[in-house]
Amino acid sequence: MKKLIIIKIGGAAIQQLTTAFFHQLQTWHLQGYRILIVHGGGPMISQLMTRLQLPVKKMNGLRVTDDQTLALTKLVLLGEAQPALLTQLAQHHLPVIGLNAADNQLLVGDYVNQAQLGAVGKVTTVNQSYLQASLAHHIGVLAPLALTATGHWLNVNADVAATALAQQLQAEKLVLLTDVPGIIHHGNVLTTLSPHQAQMLTQQAVITAGMRPKVQAAIQAIQAGVAQAVITNAIDQPGTAIIQEAAI
């Protein structure tokens, strides 16, 4: 999809958005870009589970999702995180629309590893025509949930969901917005990062469990033909750009 920017916002970042963030969205919208925001809600989900005295289990950065965890995840994403983000965008006079997997089979998915992870999924199909129509005049705000072909809900890591959308829609840019300015090494933000460098920094525990899915997602996006993939804490700042090995 031409002139499409996909932005992933972590659950913690929803409460930390700056005026510059909304101004940049306004600028892109006026320039004719389609904008799709994929939002997380991990911290809110964990907090709710802790209050309910339920165990929070993660494996390689993914939340192990049994039936109870899935129900709480849907509750937080669709009932708390998405409305909070939509409210902020509307308050800054941006045209917005809330989206989820149940909208005309917007996101169809499959299990990643049902035996180990439960209802953790990956996106296999995107209803591109419906999404294109939705984004023609509105900024989309999408929860990272998918439905199987038989109608079972899946919890999809927001980075993974944003990457799958960027790949299938051939987005011009993927921005993974987090709470740090990029990949930090020896106190400095790396302006670029190649897959080989990412592997080395992972082995050195510079890139840890929380950042690992973001880096892997950005690498997959670049390798699938997305022009730009950036990890940053501000969409108007360069952050760390993931690059192809040959581009070094």
Side-chain angles (χ1 to χ4, degrees), residues 187-206:
N188 297 313
V189 176
L190 298 177
T191 56
T192 60
L193 183 72
S194 71
H196 177 67
Q197 290 170 327
Q199 183 179 15
M200 291 180 59
L201 293 178
T202 299
Q203 292 171 349
Q204 296 168 12
V206 174

PDB file of all heavy atoms in Angstrom, residues 187-206:
ATOM      1  N   GLY A 187      26.333   3.135  26.307  1.00  0.00           N
ATOM      2  CA  GLY A 187      25.763   4.432  26.645  1.00  0.00           C
ATOM      3  C   GLY A 187      25.300   5.265  25.471  1.00  0.00           C
ATOM      4  O   GLY A 187      24.780   6.365  25.663  1.00  0.00           O
ATOM      5  N   ASN A 188      25.474   4.765  24.255  1.00  0.00           N
ATOM      6  CA  ASN A 188      25.083   5.514  23.063  1.00  0.00           C
ATOM      7  C   ASN A 188      24.011   4.767  22.280  1.00  0.00           C
ATOM      8  O   ASN A 188      23.989   3.529  22.253  1.00  0.00           O
ATOM      9  CB  ASN A 188      26.300   5.756  22.153  1.00  0.00           C
ATOM     10  CG  ASN A 188      27.368   6.602  22.828  1.00  0.00           C
ATOM     11  OD1 ASN A 188      27.063   7.635  23.423  1.00  0.00           O
ATOM     12  ND2 ASN A 188      28.615   6.166  22.754  1.00  0.00           N
ATOM     13  N   VAL A 189      23.132   5.527  21.623  1.00  0.00           N
ATOM     14  CA  VAL A 189      22.117   4.927  20.766  1.00  0.00           C
ATOM     15  C   VAL A 189      22.752   4.562  19.422  1.00  0.00           C
ATOM     16  O   VAL A 189      23.382   5.406  18.777  1.00  0.00           O
ATOM     17  CB  VAL A 189      20.939   5.899  20.538  1.00  0.00           C
ATOM     18  CG1 VAL A 189      19.933   5.287  19.558  1.00  0.00           C
ATOM     19  CG2 VAL A 189      20.257   6.235  21.858  1.00  0.00           C
ATOM     20  N   LEU A 190      22.604   3.315  19.015  1.00  0.00           N
ATOM     21  CA  LEU A 190      23.109   2.889  17.712  1.00  0.00           C
ATOM     22  C   LEU A 190      22.196   3.447  16.623  1.00  0.00           C
ATOM     23  O   LEU A 190      20.990   3.217  16.650  1.00  0.00           O
ATOM     24  CB  LEU A 190      23.144   1.361  17.629  1.00  0.00           C
ATOM     25  CG  LEU A 190      24.051   0.633  18.633  1.00  0.00           C
ATOM     26  CD1 LEU A 190      23.916  -0.878  18.453  1.00  0.00           C
ATOM     27  CD2 LEU A 190      25.494   1.073  18.470  1.00  0.00           C
ATOM     28  N   THR A 191      22.769   4.177  15.684  1.00  0.00           N
ATOM     29  CA  THR A 191      21.948   4.762  14.615  1.00  0.00           C
ATOM     30  C   THR A 191      21.498   3.702  13.614  1.00  0.00           C
ATOM     31  O   THR A 191      20.433   3.816  13.023  1.00  0.00           O
ATOM     32  CB  THR A 191      22.715   5.870  13.870  1.00  0.00           C
ATOM     33  OG1 THR A 191      23.957   5.329  13.379  1.00  0.00           O
ATOM     34  CG2 THR A 191      23.021   7.030  14.805  1.00  0.00           C
ATOM     35  N   THR A 192      22.321   2.656  13.420  1.00  0.00           N
ATOM     36  CA  THR A 192      21.956   1.557  12.533  1.00  0.00           C
ATOM     37  C   THR A 192      22.285   0.231  13.216  1.00  0.00           C
ATOM     38  O   THR A 192      23.139   0.158  14.105  1.00  0.00           O
ATOM     39  CB  THR A 192      22.697   1.629  11.189  1.00  0.00           C
ATOM     40  OG1 THR A 192      24.110   1.565  11.421  1.00  0.00           O
ATOM     41  CG2 THR A 192      22.358   2.913  10.444  1.00  0.00           C
ATOM     42  N   LEU A 193      21.611  -0.799  12.774  1.00  0.00           N
ATOM     43  CA  LEU A 193      21.847  -2.133  13.318  1.00  0.00           C
ATOM     44  C   LEU A 193      21.560  -3.160  12.229  1.00  0.00           C
ATOM     45  O   LEU A 193      20.482  -3.164  11.643  1.00  0.00           O
ATOM     46  CB  LEU A 193      20.935  -2.382  14.525  1.00  0.00           C
ATOM     47  CG  LEU A 193      21.126  -3.719  15.259  1.00  0.00           C
ATOM     48  CD1 LEU A 193      22.436  -3.704  16.057  1.00  0.00           C
ATOM     49  CD2 LEU A 193      19.950  -3.981  16.205  1.00  0.00           C
ATOM     50  N   SER A 194      22.543  -4.024  11.963  1.00  0.00           N
ATOM     51  CA  SER A 194      22.371  -5.084  10.974  1.00  0.00           C
ATOM     52  C   SER A 194      21.976  -6.376  11.675  1.00  0.00           C
ATOM     53  O   SER A 194      22.152  -6.510  12.898  1.00  0.00           O
ATOM     54  CB  SER A 194      23.673  -5.301  10.205  1.00  0.00           C
ATOM     55  OG  SER A 194      24.644  -5.913  11.044  1.00  0.00           O
ATOM     56  N   PRO A 195      21.454  -7.346  10.941  1.00  0.00           N
ATOM     57  CA  PRO A 195      21.106  -8.635  11.579  1.00  0.00           C
ATOM     58  C   PRO A 195      22.299  -9.291  12.279  1.00  0.00           C
ATOM     59  O   PRO A 195      22.145  -9.853  13.361  1.00  0.00           O
ATOM     60  CB  PRO A 195      20.619  -9.475  10.397  1.00  0.00           C
ATOM     61  CG  PRO A 195      20.057  -8.468   9.438  1.00  0.00           C
ATOM     62  CD  PRO A 195      20.960  -7.280   9.557  1.00  0.00           C
ATOM     63  N   HIS A 196      23.484  -9.224  11.677  1.00  0.00           N
ATOM     64  CA  HIS A 196      24.670  -9.817  12.295  1.00  0.00           C
ATOM     65  C   HIS A 196      25.009  -9.110  13.611  1.00  0.00           C
ATOM     66  O   HIS A 196      25.311  -9.766  14.627  1.00  0.00           O
ATOM     67  CB  HIS A 196      25.860  -9.746  11.341  1.00  0.00           C
ATOM     68  CG  HIS A 196      27.135 -10.273  11.928  1.00  0.00           C
ATOM     69  ND1 HIS A 196      27.315 -11.605  12.236  1.00  0.00           N
ATOM     70  CD2 HIS A 196      28.290  -9.650  12.290  1.00  0.00           C
ATOM     71  CE1 HIS A 196      28.518 -11.784  12.755  1.00  0.00           C
ATOM     72  NE2 HIS A 196      29.133 -10.614  12.803  1.00  0.00           N
ATOM     73  N   GLN A 197      24.954  -7.781  13.601  1.00  0.00           N
ATOM     74  CA  GLN A 197      25.213  -7.026  14.827  1.00  0.00           C
ATOM     75  C   GLN A 197      24.169  -7.347  15.887  1.00  0.00           C
ATOM     76  O   GLN A 197      24.494  -7.455  17.083  1.00  0.00           O
ATOM     77  CB  GLN A 197      25.207  -5.523  14.521  1.00  0.00           C
ATOM     78  CG  GLN A 197      26.401  -5.056  13.702  1.00  0.00           C
ATOM     79  CD  GLN A 197      26.228  -3.622  13.224  1.00  0.00           C
ATOM     80  OE1 GLN A 197      25.109  -3.178  12.944  1.00  0.00           O
ATOM     81  NE2 GLN A 197      27.332  -2.893  13.136  1.00  0.00           N
ATOM     82  N   ALA A 198      22.932  -7.495  15.476  1.00  0.00           N
ATOM     83  CA  ALA A 198      21.860  -7.823  16.415  1.00  0.00           C
ATOM     84  C   ALA A 198      22.117  -9.170  17.076  1.00  0.00           C
ATOM     85  O   ALA A 198      21.913  -9.333  18.290  1.00  0.00           O
ATOM     86  CB  ALA A 198      20.521  -7.836  15.699  1.00  0.00           C
ATOM     87  N   GLN A 199      22.578 -10.135  16.298  1.00  0.00           N
ATOM     88  CA  GLN A 199      22.880 -11.452  16.855  1.00  0.00           C
ATOM     89  C   GLN A 199      23.999 -11.363  17.891  1.00  0.00           C
ATOM     90  O   GLN A 199      23.916 -11.955  18.967  1.00  0.00           O
ATOM     91  CB  GLN A 199      23.279 -12.411  15.736  1.00  0.00           C
ATOM     92  CG  GLN A 199      23.549 -13.831  16.212  1.00  0.00           C
ATOM     93  CD  GLN A 199      23.928 -14.750  15.070  1.00  0.00           C
ATOM     94  OE1 GLN A 199      24.250 -14.316  13.974  1.00  0.00           O
ATOM     95  NE2 GLN A 199      23.891 -16.053  15.317  1.00  0.00           N
ATOM     96  N   MET A 200      25.030 -10.597  17.584  1.00  0.00           N
ATOM     97  CA  MET A 200      26.146 -10.441  18.505  1.00  0.00           C
ATOM     98  C   MET A 200      25.694  -9.764  19.802  1.00  0.00           C
ATOM     99  O   MET A 200      26.051 -10.201  20.898  1.00  0.00           O
ATOM    100  CB  MET A 200      27.269  -9.630  17.849  1.00  0.00           C
ATOM    101  CG  MET A 200      27.993 -10.342  16.727  1.00  0.00           C
ATOM    102  SD  MET A 200      29.290  -9.308  16.004  1.00  0.00           S
ATOM    103  CE  MET A 200      30.312  -8.987  17.433  1.00  0.00           C
ATOM    104  N   LEU A 201      24.906  -8.699  19.681  1.00  0.00           N
ATOM    105  CA  LEU A 201      24.463  -7.959  20.869  1.00  0.00           C
ATOM    106  C   LEU A 201      23.476  -8.775  21.709  1.00  0.00           C
ATOM    107  O   LEU A 201      23.403  -8.599  22.920  1.00  0.00           O
ATOM    108  CB  LEU A 201      23.842  -6.623  20.459  1.00  0.00           C
ATOM    109  CG  LEU A 201      24.816  -5.612  19.834  1.00  0.00           C
ATOM    110  CD1 LEU A 201      24.076  -4.344  19.431  1.00  0.00           C
ATOM    111  CD2 LEU A 201      25.950  -5.284  20.797  1.00  0.00           C
ATOM    112  N   THR A 202      22.735  -9.664  21.058  1.00  0.00           N
ATOM    113  CA  THR A 202      21.850 -10.562  21.795  1.00  0.00           C
ATOM    114  C   THR A 202      22.673 -11.549  22.614  1.00  0.00           C
ATOM    115  O   THR A 202      22.386 -11.806  23.789  1.00  0.00           O
ATOM    116  CB  THR A 202      20.910 -11.310  20.837  1.00  0.00           C
ATOM    117  OG1 THR A 202      20.102 -10.348  20.131  1.00  0.00           O
ATOM    118  CG2 THR A 202      19.994 -12.257  21.599  1.00  0.00           C
ATOM    119  N   GLN A 203      23.717 -12.091  21.994  1.00  0.00           N
ATOM    120  CA  GLN A 203      24.597 -13.031  22.694  1.00  0.00           C
ATOM    121  C   GLN A 203      25.312 -12.359  23.866  1.00  0.00           C
ATOM    122  O   GLN A 203      25.590 -12.992  24.887  1.00  0.00           O
ATOM    123  CB  GLN A 203      25.625 -13.619  21.718  1.00  0.00           C
ATOM    124  CG  GLN A 203      25.015 -14.540  20.669  1.00  0.00           C
ATOM    125  CD  GLN A 203      26.005 -14.940  19.589  1.00  0.00           C
ATOM    126  OE1 GLN A 203      27.109 -14.392  19.487  1.00  0.00           O
ATOM    127  NE2 GLN A 203      25.612 -15.908  18.770  1.00  0.00           N
ATOM    128  N   GLN A 204      25.577 -11.062  23.730  1.00  0.00           N
ATOM    129  CA  GLN A 204      26.255 -10.303  24.789  1.00  0.00           C
ATOM    130  C   GLN A 204      25.285  -9.760  25.825  1.00  0.00           C
ATOM    131  O   GLN A 204      25.684  -9.052  26.753  1.00  0.00           O
ATOM    132  CB  GLN A 204      27.048  -9.137  24.172  1.00  0.00           C
ATOM    133  CG  GLN A 204      28.178  -9.565  23.260  1.00  0.00           C
ATOM    134  CD  GLN A 204      28.750  -8.405  22.451  1.00  0.00           C
ATOM    135  OE1 GLN A 204      28.459  -7.233  22.723  1.00  0.00           O
ATOM    136  NE2 GLN A 204      29.565  -8.709  21.453  1.00  0.00           N
ATOM    137  N   ALA A 205      23.990 -10.080  25.678  1.00  0.00           N
ATOM    138  CA  ALA A 205      22.928  -9.627  26.587  1.00  0.00           C
ATOM    139  C   ALA A 205      22.751  -8.114  26.577  1.00  0.00           C
ATOM    140  O   ALA A 205      22.251  -7.536  27.545  1.00  0.00           O
ATOM    141  CB  ALA A 205      23.179 -10.123  28.007  1.00  0.00           C
ATOM    142  N   VAL A 206      23.157  -7.459  25.477  1.00  0.00           N
ATOM    143  CA  VAL A 206      22.854  -6.039  25.293  1.00  0.00           C
ATOM    144  C   VAL A 206      21.396  -5.909  24.845  1.00  0.00           C
ATOM    145  O   VAL A 206      20.650  -5.052  25.313  1.00  0.00           O
ATOM    146  CB  VAL A 206      23.806  -5.399  24.261  1.00  0.00           C
ATOM    147  CG1 VAL A 206      23.391  -3.954  23.972  1.00  0.00           C
ATOM    148  CG2 VAL A 206      25.247  -5.453  24.766  1.00  0.00           C
TER     149      VAL A 206
END
